[in-house]
Amino acid sequence: MSYAGTSNKLPSLKGSAEWQTSSHPDAPRTDDDQSETAALLRDTSRATIVARSFSIEELRQDGPGKAARYESLDYEEVENTVYRADKAAGTTLDSLSYSSLKWIICFLIGVTTALAAFTVNLSVENISGFKFWATFAVVEQSGFFASFLVYALINATLVLASVAITMFIGPAAAGSGIADVKAYLNGIDVPGIFYFNTLVAKVLGAIGSVAGGLAIGKEGPFVHAGACIAAILSQGGTLPHTLPFFKRLWNDRDRNDMVACGAAAGVAAAFRSPVGGVLFALEEMTSWWKNHLMWLIFFTTAVVSVTVRVLMKACSRTGCGFFGSGGFIIFEISEGQDNYEFYELLPVLLLGVVGGLLGSSFITLNAKLNLLRKQHLTPHGVRGKMAEALLISLITSIVSFCLPLMVHCQACPADAASDGDCPRQDNSHSGNFVSFGCKYNNQYNDLATIFFNTQDDAIRNLFSSKTKQEYSVTTLVAFVTCFYFLAVITYGMSCPTGFFVPSILCGAAYGRLVGIFVADMSPHHYIDEGTYALLGAASFLGGSMRMTVCTCVMLLELTNNLALLPLIMLVLLVAKAVGDGTGVKPLYEVHMEVKGMPFLGPSPESYLRHITAKECCGKPPVTFQRVEKVHRIVDVLRGTQHNGFPVIYTNAEGERNIMGVVLRQHLLVLLSTPRCLQPSSYIAEVSSRVATSYDVSEFTKPISTPGLSIHDVQLTPEQLDLYLDLGPYVNPSYYVVQEDASLSKVYTLFRTLGLRHLCVIPRAPDVVGIITRRDLLPETIDDRFEMGGQYTTDGTTMVTNGLAPAPDNAEGLSGNLLNRRSNRSNMPQSSSSPSLMNYHFGWPTMHTSIPIGQNGHDPK
């Protein structure tokens, strides 16, 4: 039988390790691990901490070294004396200010993300508009060769500038960033992704790479930029300039909430899809969900939507250069096909199958290419990445410029020609019917119409309704083939790259191709090619990203056509099923594998139920006694990379029990502030009073940074000979499982609770009791303590009986008892009355100091 819970008095543990460090017996060891310290660690009490694992199969083949550079986040609340004192000192006003602070930050996240997205769109539209204007102007004056040189030079300059900005300002801004943010929300501390310079590089790099004509989109980087904005705002700025007012949010749990809000805001800003942003955070990004978080995200995306609309209206009144009809994606096809025949379900199913296969093949090819980049290009540093960027930019320019010259121009439709819309006039940068290489004034080049537009305008043209045969079969086949492989080689470059828009473009092109065939086979029925373009885009998104609900709502918000809901749902389900059936993981999970991130997917592998926790846990163990010599703590921290250490308490009778788990970060903070050190190996009540002088925020590692290192701790020889009482700093509410628990249950606990450590214990000799669902109801708790019993408040254990008055005037634990707060300055100091100073949650601090030996025994 397996269980997860909290315990203070348990049999000895089984081992100590964290998978993402070199704690596994098959993992490579440092020189320090072979020293005298390592021998000392092997002689300590048996204790085990199982932490997150990437893949059991990979861990057993390669050891944890693949994920060794990534640490985990501490989402669990460490309910030690510092935490309890902080909660006890809080007031109702503190709770109100804490809640209000979150809503204020969400408002700021929404406004700031919308401003950033508007800036990127405005810049991309104007730069692209100038590029297309210059290209067409040179064609008219100097011919195609000179025009190509200008076109290729502008593209290469923009792309090289984007790569240079990324490499020299914020290397963590390279790529989409969605995989990094998703890993962070899964509990992986990805270094550098939330720096201010990363945000600057993301915004400027996205402008250069998208305006440079690469087969990528800016919508993916918006997610990373939104998450980065949220992380910076929630911390009150960036180090070393942070506002102390925000320290209530200086913990991984609140950061997780704010980063999720920022990711949703990025989607809402990119697609003007507030509900789609909420569902994106729910379906794709977060690993665990809270109702309160949904309200925060919904509020954030609503603010984004309103801010974007205000900015666009202001721009339409005042004029913003080339910015106007392009920019923010919105594809109005409400005038398109609003019903369908039964036989159309067959081509819709075909689109789903094609999308699933193309999406899986894209993921496979791109992952292999990124592995080659990692192996052969990374060793060459910035020079190699700049050369790659220049080569890809040149290939993209050749394809997008020369390929349209190889197709025949078409005659303008009669209605468009009469309205003056065909061909496009005045070298405009957006719209249909581009005249490129055409001999006559009443002709247009359909392939140039796709390539010589921003990607947003190209999608709008492909989605457009009542444009039958605007694009030829040859054009669509050529575009899908070329753009597909351009996206394969481009996605993953050392600059901000997005995948949403390339997916929509490829899908819309082959969807429109299917629409042409269906229309030709059904000449007596109204078949809109733009409808099939939309379904094709949905199929490619479903086959590559495997998102269904989010993609469906997002496309509906983009197109404003609810009549297509059943068809979009059907094509998404088929595409996801086919993609999953190929055995290829979703795009962002594959990219996390390429980076070696220990990501835990939604469900464990089936074979994990045949492996027990005992077989998986790391050994040898690393434990501490309650009172440890500073010198040994420093040696352990230098000799291992573990992040959690069980603390063993040995009473006067020699009985050994697990007191709790102390974190590496907490130990480093304590060693950096020597006021907690004591001259003797005694358990003294002064240690509790010293603990209450700390604030919870002091033990939190700054976001996206390595935090304190043991090499940052400077101690004198006299301080190394002192002792540290770990009792007030351990987490007594640690989670445990029995040694015979299946690894699938351990996996589920990590995934659902956001754990970093999990203690594995042998079979317990006794059962204290059983808790059911009913025992957790407030009225049950009230009844139990009104009748008399034992309860704990502010760290103090008290006893009531039927003759004594009920606690807090019989209002019960769900009333005033649980809400009792006391100011730290008014805490009782006398040892004659029970208080927070005299109790450690079941581990009493003696009123008179009792000496203990090095192993925790009474020296007598």
Side-chain angles (χ1 to χ4, degrees), residues 20 51 88 118 142 164 168 233 243 264 267 360 367 384 392 394 397 409 431 443 450 466 477 494 559 646 664 707 714:
Q20 70 269 28
F118 183 80
S142 305
F168 292 107
L233 290 177
L243 300 177
V267 173
S360 295
I392 292 178
L394 182 60
S397 298
C409 292
Q443 290 182 333
I450 304 177
K466 298 180 180 180
V477 171
S494 298
T559 58
R664 183 186 190 92
Q714 304 294 329

Side-chain angles (χ1 to χ4, degrees), residues 530-600:
T531 299
Y532 280 85
L534 174 63
L535 297 177
S539 70
F540 200 93
L541 286 171
S544 56
M545 298 184 181
R546 313 289 166 77
M547 296 185 298
T548 54
V549 181
C550 165
T551 304
C552 182
V553 173
M554 194 182 302
L555 290 175
L556 289 176
E557 288 185 291
L558 288 176
T559 58
N560 195 24
N561 193 338
L562 286 175
L564 300 177
L565 176 61
L567 294 180
I568 294 177
M569 293 174 63
L570 178 61
V571 76
L572 282 171
L573 290 173
V574 173
K576 175 175 170 49
V578 172
D580 291 337
T582 61
V584 180
K585 294 182 179 180
L587 176 68
Y588 300 124
E589 292 188 20
V590 170
H591 273 260
M592 283 186 278
E593 284 190 8
V594 172
K595 294 182 178 181
M597 294 179 177
F599 176 79
L600 295 182

Side-chain angles (χ1 to χ4, degrees), residues 145-164:
F145 182 72
S147 177
F148 169 75
L149 293 179
V150 172
Y151 179 73
L153 179 62
I154 294 176
N155 284 340
T157 302
L158 291 171
V159 172
L160 288 177
S162 174
V163 175

Side-chain angles (χ1 to χ4, degrees), residues 337-421:
Q337 183 177 347
D338 56 1
N339 54 29
Y340 49 90
E341 302 295 334
F342 180 76
Y343 67 86
E344 290 186 69
L345 294 179
L346 181 60
V348 170
L349 293 175
L350 176 63
L351 280 176
V353 173
V354 171
L357 295 176
L358 285 179
S360 295
S361 62
F362 179 93
I363 295 170
T364 303
L365 292 174
N366 185 255
K368 292 186 177 184
L369 180 61
N370 284 326
L371 283 174
L372 291 176
R373 280 191 177 109
K374 191 175 182 180
Q375 295 171 0
H376 302 290
L377 195 61
T378 302
H380 295 283
V382 176
R383 186 180 303 174
K385 294 177 180 179
M386 296 285 282
E388 179 203 25
L390 182 61
L391 178 61
I392 292 178
S393 176
L394 182 60
I395 293 174
T396 304
S397 298
I398 292 173
V399 171
S400 59
F401 190 94
C402 297
L403 198 61
L405 295 176
M406 300 179 185
V407 301
H408 297 289
C409 292
Q410 301 187 83
C412 291
D415 55 346
S418 61
D419 294 338
D421 296 331

Side-chain angles (χ1 to χ4, degrees), residues 761-782:
I761 63 170
R763 296 189 183 100
D766 199 359
V767 178
V768 175
I770 296 178
I771 294 178
T772 64
R773 182 187 300 269
R774 185 176 179 82
D775 295 324
L776 302 177
L777 298 178
E779 55 269 21
T780 304
I781 301 176
D782 281 343

Side-chain angles (χ1 to χ4, degrees), residues 42 100 158 180 241 263 330 419 494 585 687 734 819-820:
R42 287 191 290 270
S100 301
L158 291 171
D180 297 330
H241 308 291
I330 186 74
D419 294 338
S494 298
K585 294 182 179 180
S687 60
Y734 56 96
N819 295 322
R820 286 179 57 185

